[in-house]
Amino acid sequence: MNAEFNPFLTDSYISKDLFCDREYELETLKKRIENQTNTTLISARRLGKSALIWRLFDEFDAKDRICIYIDIYATQTLKDLIEILAAAILKHFPEKKSIGKKFLDVLKGFRPIITYDSLTGQPAVHFEFAQAKEGEQTLGGLLQFLDEQKIKILIAIDEFQQVAAYSEQNTEAVLRTAIQLLKNINFIFSGSNKHLMTEIFTSSKRPFFSSTLMLGLSTIPEDKYKSFILQKFTEKKRAISEMEINFIIEWTRCHTYYTQMVCKEVFATQIKKIDIDVVKKVCSNILTSQQLTYIQYRSLLTSLQWQLLIAIAKEGKLYNPQSANFLQKYKVGSASSVKKALDALIDKEMVYRNDDIDTTSYQVYDVFLSRWLERTY
């Protein structure tokens, strides 16, 4: 007997029916693209920015606008980015199409090595550049070819902050130069490192300064998420009450990935009538399954960093990490040593800093890790 389709997705986007809310952000992005305005999209990891991009793609008819997505998180050089971009273009414009034949002819001019996966048929492109200028010319040539086709194109570059770590020091300038004269291509630059993304696009010393409009993602409104969860369980003839849904939202802090994961695991129990004990057992099992990983984190941190991480987890959301009350309550040392340890945890992406208009707060980045620390210590 085949398992029933689980409507709670954690690693992919399938359709708008399985996508929760983001109506404002979706409409904002759509209007900007239609008005030829590039956007910088910033959010904490696992809040759903990549899924939002794919949801946006659904809004455009392929006859009117071609949408291309690339994730450059694993790239280390401009060459890596160019290869991923070239492969993505080949995927959208295969050789059997007339535009694909034209693109392949242009691509061959840059002497690539093109291979295709024997199972998926997906293309891979590799270049060997003798000089840096060859890479810059290749990037410019690929984008210029697309721009000259007189079709609207949207390119979303995910984890864009990675360009700041490239071995080529002028990568941002090269990209900005290649992009700024394009007439038919728009871009979404998305990233999860708030500090780096903000620096790239708002510092007057950087090439991308004031070249886009910003858009930040926060958690989905609780009422929207609760309605979505109830709807999906009800559609599959699973009974779940407001109490269980409230517990899930609170326990996962309404953070998209973690909320989806708990709902996914609750659904996977195949229990038709879900009570609070079922939900709590699922949450406990999730933490237990991650325990070996979390224990290893301790060896990666100093004693103070580990103690501070535990303290932040117990607080849930910390507003005054250098206050006398906090320092005394958790016995984590002086204000100066806590500041240094906190900066290190932020740099390691163990702690997330959230800046509002009036306040700054800190949370353990991984909600499950936070709940495990809270339970264990």
Side-chain angles (χ1 to χ4, degrees):
M1 181 178 178
N2 293 330
E4 187 176 13
F5 176 77
N6 196 315
F8 298 101
L9 308 178
T10 55
D11 299 310
S12 62
Y13 172 83
I14 293 179
S15 71
K16 63 181 70 176
D17 295 333
L18 300 175
F19 185 85
C20 179
D21 191 46
R22 299 296 189 199
E23 294 176 5
Y24 167 77
E25 294 89 347
L26 185 63
E27 188 61 26
T28 299
L29 286 171
K30 188 176 179 182
K31 286 181 178 179
R32 289 183 185 178
I33 297 305
E34 291 172 342
N35 286 283
Q36 303 296 298
T37 302
N38 295 333
T39 294
T40 298
L41 178 64
I42 303 176
S43 82
R45 276 188 280 127
R46 297 182 164 182
L47 260 185
K49 60 180 172 54
S50 300
L52 173 61
I53 292 171
W54 287 105
R55 173 67 185 87
L56 174 68
F57 287 2
D58 261 358
E59 292 293 298
F60 297 112
D61 190 309
K63 296 179 181 178
D64 301 320
R65 189 180 302 271
I66 300 298
C67 298
I68 298 173
Y69 171 91
I70 60 173
D71 183 341
I72 64 170
Y73 183 74
T75 62
Q76 297 181 322
T77 64
L78 178 62
K79 173 179 170 293
D80 294 340
L81 185 153
I82 294 170
E83 290 176 346
I84 289 177
L85 177 61
I89 296 172
L90 265 181
K91 178 181 176 181
H92 282 273
F93 303 117
E95 190 176 359
K96 61 183 179 182
K97 295 183 178 180
S98 60
I99 187 173
K101 293 178 181 178
K102 294 178 184 177
F103 176 68
L104 199 58
D105 287 340
V106 169
L107 194 59
K108 288 178 179 178
F110 299 110
R111 303 183 303 280
I113 299 172
I114 303 174
T115 58
Y116 293 88
D117 188 282
S118 60
L119 296 177
T120 66
Q122 297 300 315
V125 181
H126 300 282
F127 296 97
E128 292 295 336
F129 300 131
Q131 300 178 356
K133 280 293 182 183
E134 293 182 18
E136 297 171 19
Q137 292 169 357
T138 301
L139 176 65
L142 299 182
L143 293 175
Q144 183 179 359
F145 168 82
L146 292 179
D147 200 50
E148 291 173 349
Q149 302 312 303
K150 308 301 181 184
I151 56 177
K152 297 295 183 183
I153 295 175
L154 170 59
I155 299 178
I157 306 179
D158 208 353
E159 301 299 351
F160 186 76
Q161 74 275 344
Q162 189 64 25
V163 300
Y166 283 1
S167 57
E168 301 92 347
Q169 298 298 310
N170 66 334
T171 296
E172 292 173 40
V174 170
L175 286 169
R176 182 75 179 111
T177 300
I179 286 170
Q180 63 183 351
L181 298 178
L182 301 175
K183 298 178 180 179
N184 296 303
I185 304 176
N186 284 107
F187 291 84
I188 294 176
F189 305 100
S190 70
S192 57
N193 188 313
K194 185 177 180 180
H195 172 73
L196 271 178
M197 289 293 288
T198 302
E199 176 72 15
I200 290 171
F201 290 95
T202 64
S203 172
S204 60
K205 299 178 181 179
R206 308 289 278 258
F208 277 94
F209 172 65
S210 291
S211 62
T212 70
L213 290 181
M214 310 290 281
L215 180 63
L217 283 190
S218 57
T219 55
I220 295 171
E222 290 188 5
D223 59 331
K224 297 279 190 180
Y225 222 147
K226 290 175 183 178
S227 296
F228 175 80
I229 293 170
L230 178 61
Q231 178 189 8
K232 295 307 164 191
F233 275 109
T234 302
E235 286 175 353
K236 298 294 185 177
K237 296 181 169 45
R238 307 294 175 86
I240 187 170
S241 74
E242 183 178 352
M243 180 174 68
E244 286 79 46
I245 295 176
N246 286 342
F247 180 88
I248 292 171
I249 290 294
E250 188 278 330
W251 196 80
T252 62
R253 297 175 182 152
C254 207
H255 193 299
T256 305
Y257 170 81
Y258 304 97
T259 302
Q260 290 288 118
M261 178 58 77
V262 170
C263 289
K264 183 178 183 178
E265 293 299 300
V266 169
F267 186 90
T269 65
Q270 300 188 7
I271 295 172
K272 299 296 183 182
K273 184 173 177 57
I274 299 157
D275 59 29
I276 194 66
D277 289 336
V278 171
V279 175
K280 288 183 177 181
K281 183 177 180 181
V282 163
C283 293
S284 179
N285 289 343
I286 289 174
L287 298 188
T288 299
S289 71
Q290 296 296 316
Q291 183 162 284
L292 288 178
T293 299
Y294 296 153
I295 290 173
Q296 292 300 313
Y297 288 164
R298 185 168 186 171
S299 65
L300 303 176
L301 305 175
T302 66
S303 177
L304 176 56
Q305 290 167 6
W306 182 251
Q307 291 303 316
L308 182 58
L309 191 67
I310 293 171
I312 296 172
K314 288 180 176 292
E315 288 292 299
K317 183 176 286 190
L318 176 63
Y319 289 94
N320 298 300
Q322 294 174 280
S323 69
N325 286 340
F326 176 76
L327 299 177
Q328 185 175 7
K329 180 179 179 180
Y330 293 102
K331 296 179 174 53
V332 286
S334 66
S336 59
S337 60
V338 164
K339 182 182 185 305
K340 184 177 179 181
L342 182 60
D343 289 342
L345 290 173
I346 293 171
D347 186 59
K348 295 174 186 289
E349 295 192 332
M350 300 293 288
V351 168
Y352 182 75
R353 171 175 170 158
N354 185 53
D355 296 302
D356 293 324
I357 294 176
D358 300 317
T359 62
T360 296
S361 62
Y362 304 88
Q363 290 179 281
V364 176
Y365 214 136
D366 184 330
V367 175
F368 290 161
L369 171 61
S370 182
R371 292 300 186 187
W372 180 81
L373 291 168
E374 183 183 359
R375 181 179 78 168
T376 306
Y377 297 94

